[in-house]
Amino acid sequence: MTSAVPRRSEVSDSPNPHWIGFSLVTLAYLAVTVCESILAPLFPVVADELDLDLAIAGFAFGLLTGAIAVGNFAGGYVLARLGPRTGILASLALAAAGCALAGTANARTTFLAAQALIGLGAGIFFAPGLNAVGRLAGAQRRGLAMGIFGVAFSGGLTIAALLAAAGDAGNWRVAFWVATATCAVAALVIAVTPLPARLHGPPEGRRRRLREALGVAVIVGGVGAVLQYGTVAFLPVFAVASWRLSPAAAALLLAAARIVSVPAKLAAGAAADRWGSHRAVWGLSIVLVLTGAWWTTIGDATTSGWAAVVFAATVSALFPIANLLAVEGFGERGPLLGTYRSVQIGIGAAGAYLIGVFADAVGLAPTLAVSVLLPVGLFALRRPTLETTEVVPP
């Protein structure tokens, strides 16, 4: 007969939060996000030294994204078989190895191989990391926990941009070495931090509910992904073309949205805890439709810039709710968590491509004006479906 008492290296699931463990896993997420986010802002400098053209740039970004998608699946299976600690440590190790390889790269093949390692490591983190923070936060504060988890992603993007800004032709490698050291320290900390044990799958009778939960989480996250990787990505182009802003001013507009997204994510998570996921989704959808219609059809930057900032920040706030739905719907099923994330990325990539195609055919402004109405579809999700449910350990 096995003991129900958790080992010293594990914590048991309980309604009460384990804030120390939660904070350390969240900081580990920030570390891997820094690794996966360095490429874009640092690429112009790297390209000069390693003689990388635009075709190689596209291949590098695609390789990184594809490796992340593969890592999402792999992380789900690692979570199911070995538990969250092993998955998180594997993620940090691969991301650190990739950054170290990039920091020593003197040829394009080595640099590209490094991006594949970084993407694989970053992708593996999602399922075990999300499972761990969802269980460490406790049932009553899980929404807020998802908001904080999302803020860590924003923090990683910011740190990566700052590291890239500090780099030039002589010291761009330092950014990768800093990222390597950050992941190494995070791995050492996670190795001794009590984390939840591996969970087994739910009873057979829950299979239908799991399929429904997966669909709802994918829909909410998919809408957010299309708006994030498509609509918001085209915001600077729209601002330059329609509002006659300079490229620098358009970039600052997007930067302001990233800053506002931090309190937006926290507010969305807290709202889900207080009023439920369905009300949080509907509330965010109302804000998205109103502000989206405003900035795509009314006025110039003076009258509509604020709406664009609020819209972009609110898009970011959709992801903590989607993650909350995933954790509470199938958080004990690692492969489903990996599938959810990979499908979400695929939907975002397809949406961005279609927005580009239609913008080229009929114009950017009308295409974006239609895309911002996408959240209307979230009102069709039934209230009982969106209700969060407690995950009962076996």
Side-chain angles (χ1 to χ4, degrees):
M1 180 176 178
T2 59
S3 173
V5 178
R7 293 175 295 180
R8 293 182 62 186
S9 61
E10 299 174 348
V11 295
S12 59
D13 293 313
S14 72
N16 300 318
H18 301 275
W19 288 120
I20 293 178
F22 169 82
S23 300
L24 294 175
V25 173
T26 301
L27 288 174
Y29 184 45
L30 183 147
V32 297
T33 301
V34 170
C35 293
E36 72 171 278
S37 305
I38 290 178
L39 178 62
L42 202 60
F43 191 85
V45 178
V46 178
D48 288 340
E49 181 170 331
L50 299 184
D51 191 25
L52 308 178
D53 55 25
L54 291 179
I56 295 297
F59 181 76
F61 293 134
L63 181 63
L64 178 66
T65 305
I68 290 173
V70 173
N72 290 151
F73 282 111
Y77 283 97
V78 171
L79 169 63
R81 286 160 176 73
L82 301 174
R85 182 192 308 280
T86 302
I88 293 172
L89 289 176
S91 166
L92 292 167
L94 284 170
C99 285
L101 185 62
T104 59
N106 291 310
R108 64 174 60 176
T109 53
T110 306
F111 187 77
L112 292 174
Q115 301 314 306
L117 278 177
I118 291 170
L120 188 61
I124 287 175
F125 187 94
F126 185 80
L130 190 65
N131 176 276
V133 297
R135 294 162 65 189
L136 288 166
Q140 296 180 349
R141 305 302 297 276
R142 195 167 282 151
L144 178 61
M146 293 300 107
I148 297 173
F149 193 65
V151 169
F153 185 81
S154 299
L157 292 174
T158 303
I159 293 173
L162 292 175
L163 288 174
D168 56 33
N171 63 11
W172 62 266
R173 299 173 189 275
V174 174
F176 285 106
W177 283 112
V178 170
T180 301
T182 302
C183 283
V185 171
L188 291 175
V189 172
I190 292 297
V192 298
T193 299
L195 296 180
R198 178 173 69 95
L199 276 181
H200 299 282
E204 293 296 318
R206 288 190 58 197
R207 283 186 175 179
R208 173 177 291 185
R209 187 155 64 92
L210 280 171
R211 288 195 295 268
E212 183 181 23
L214 175 62
V216 172
V218 166
I219 290 171
V220 176
V223 169
V226 172
L227 296 176
Q228 182 84 301
Y229 299 119
T231 307
V232 175
F234 280 98
L235 172 58
V237 179
F238 176 88
V240 172
S242 299
W243 295 342
R244 300 294 186 266
L245 293 182
S246 68
L252 287 175
L253 192 71
L254 191 57
R258 301 304 188 202
I259 295 172
V260 178
S261 72
V262 172
K265 288 178 178 179
L266 296 176
D273 285 333
R274 184 174 180 84
W275 295 298
S277 297
H278 65 286
R279 290 191 177 94
V281 168
W282 291 343
L284 292 175
S285 298
I286 292 172
V287 174
L288 287 170
V289 171
L290 293 178
T291 56
W294 184 286
W295 72 263
T296 57
T297 61
I298 299 175
D300 54 18
T302 303
T303 56
S304 300
W306 66 270
V309 169
V310 174
F311 176 87
T314 307
V315 168
S316 296
L318 274 177
F319 294 108
I321 306 301
N323 290 343
L324 175 62
L325 290 165
V327 167
E328 297 199 330
F330 47 89
E332 72 276 37
R333 295 289 293 267
L336 284 184
L337 282 178
T339 300
Y340 150 73
R341 180 65 169 177
S342 292
V343 172
Q344 183 186 110
I345 291 176
I347 291 174
Y353 171 76
L354 290 175
I355 287 177
V357 169
F358 281 101
D360 184 61
V362 302
L364 181 60
T367 300
L368 294 184
V370 171
S371 72
V372 298
L373 300 179
L374 192 59
V376 171
L378 297 178
F379 288 100
L381 298 176
R382 294 183 295 112
R383 173 172 172 167
T385 300
L386 283 174
E387 289 286 5
T388 55
T389 54
E390 182 179 358
V391 176
V392 181

